[in-house]
Amino acid sequence: MVLRLEGNHFRIDELRPLLRRVSDGAGIEPVQLAVFLDSIDYASDASIDDHFRKPAGHFVCTGAVPETVPASVRPLMADPTCRHLIWLSKPLLDEDVEQVLWVFAHEYRHFMHRTGIVDANEIACSLMVIHQNEGTTIQYENLDRPEELDCELFAHETLKKILGAEAVDSFIQRRCTDPQGAAYYQRLRHLAHEVKASNPGVQVTPASGRT
């Protein structure tokens, strides 16, 4: 089954084959899944739901579409053949290809979680031990939670398969040029290492790059 891509962002033709490689590489059929590439930035539109002011999101479509959903997205969310929607924002789509693919792969992993194809139970157990040893709970909302960490590790591994390890390392180096980015990827590498050490059965690949 070919990944369903819709939207009106000017890069859709450029990104289509790469996004489909993410889907194909996951090894599952994108059943009842659609991807929407938006061309409008809703950052300053107070009438739009906050979820559509983020870089991207995965949504489970129930047929009922609130008025706070962007008008261009509503028909797709109301489509009975679309059970899952991955929405990609204009600000994200205007970034480097590597960042677009990373975020998309992250959201695709959420799709896999929601459909029950994978879970993050083993990572959850490892994280619990890590947090107990550190005496902390959450440092990063999208790293120190089991499902979010699983999605980030999946995104990193997926990009390596599509773009190659050298290109991914270079991408991470660019993201580490500011202290906040460097701290984030340092945390990702640390968690990946600790998860693997506490549970060798978990398939993780620590993000590389110097800080």
Side-chain angles (χ1 to χ4, degrees):
M1 175 180 290
V2 177
L3 180 67
R4 179 181 178 183
L5 292 166
E6 298 193 16
N8 45 16
H9 193 277
F10 74 93
R11 295 182 72 187
I12 189 169
D13 290 334
E14 170 198 352
L15 294 171
R16 179 180 287 109
L18 292 171
L19 297 177
R20 284 180 172 163
R21 285 187 67 184
V22 172
S23 174
D24 293 344
I28 67 163
E29 295 286 345
V31 178
Q32 293 186 308
L33 170 68
V35 182
F36 189 86
L37 285 69
D38 215 322
S39 63
I40 301 174
D41 185 357
Y42 306 105
S44 59
D45 190 342
S47 68
I48 298 299
D49 188 282
D50 287 346
H51 289 93
F52 293 95
R53 286 196 281 272
K54 297 178 179 181
H58 168 267
F59 301 87
V60 177
C61 306
T62 61
V65 184
E67 289 297 317
T68 53
V69 170
S72 58
V73 185
R74 289 177 202 164
L76 193 55
M77 294 189 77
D79 185 341
T81 67
C82 176
R83 175 66 176 169
H84 297 270
L85 171 68
I86 293 177
W87 171 82
L88 304 179
S89 72
K90 180 183 184 303
L92 170 67
L93 294 168
D94 290 342
E95 292 204 45
D96 294 343
V97 168
E98 294 92 337
Q99 180 66 5
V100 175
L101 293 182
W102 185 292
V103 175
F104 175 66
H106 178 110
E107 298 301 331
Y108 200 90
R109 189 66 166 183
H110 278 307
F111 160 68
M112 295 170 70
H113 286 136
R114 296 296 175 271
T115 53
I117 295 169
V118 297
D119 62 52
N121 292 339
E122 291 181 332
I123 287 181
C125 294
S126 298
L127 267 182
M128 183 180 299
V129 174
I130 292 169
H131 290 157
Q132 287 174 346
N133 292 338
E134 294 177 341
T136 61
T137 53
I138 294 175
Q139 293 187 31
Y140 292 92
E141 288 291 333
N142 55 336
L143 276 184
D144 284 87
R145 297 180 185 276
E147 189 173 299
E148 296 298 330
L149 177 57
D150 182 57
C151 289
E152 286 291 84
L153 295 172
F154 175 80
H156 178 260
E157 188 64 21
T158 298
L159 258 68
K160 281 181 57 181
K161 292 177 181 177
I162 294 175
L163 303 176
E166 185 175 345
V168 176
D169 287 348
S170 177
F171 162 68
I172 292 174
Q173 287 298 318
R174 296 197 302 273
R175 305 296 290 189
C176 289
T177 54
D178 66 272
Q180 185 176 4
Y184 180 87
Y185 285 103
Q186 183 178 25
R187 181 64 175 170
L188 177 58
R189 289 197 303 276
H190 171 71
L191 291 176
H193 177 270
E194 292 300 311
V195 166
K196 184 68 174 179
S198 65
N199 194 334
V202 177
Q203 297 299 312
V204 299
T205 303
S208 58
R210 296 177 299 275
T211 58

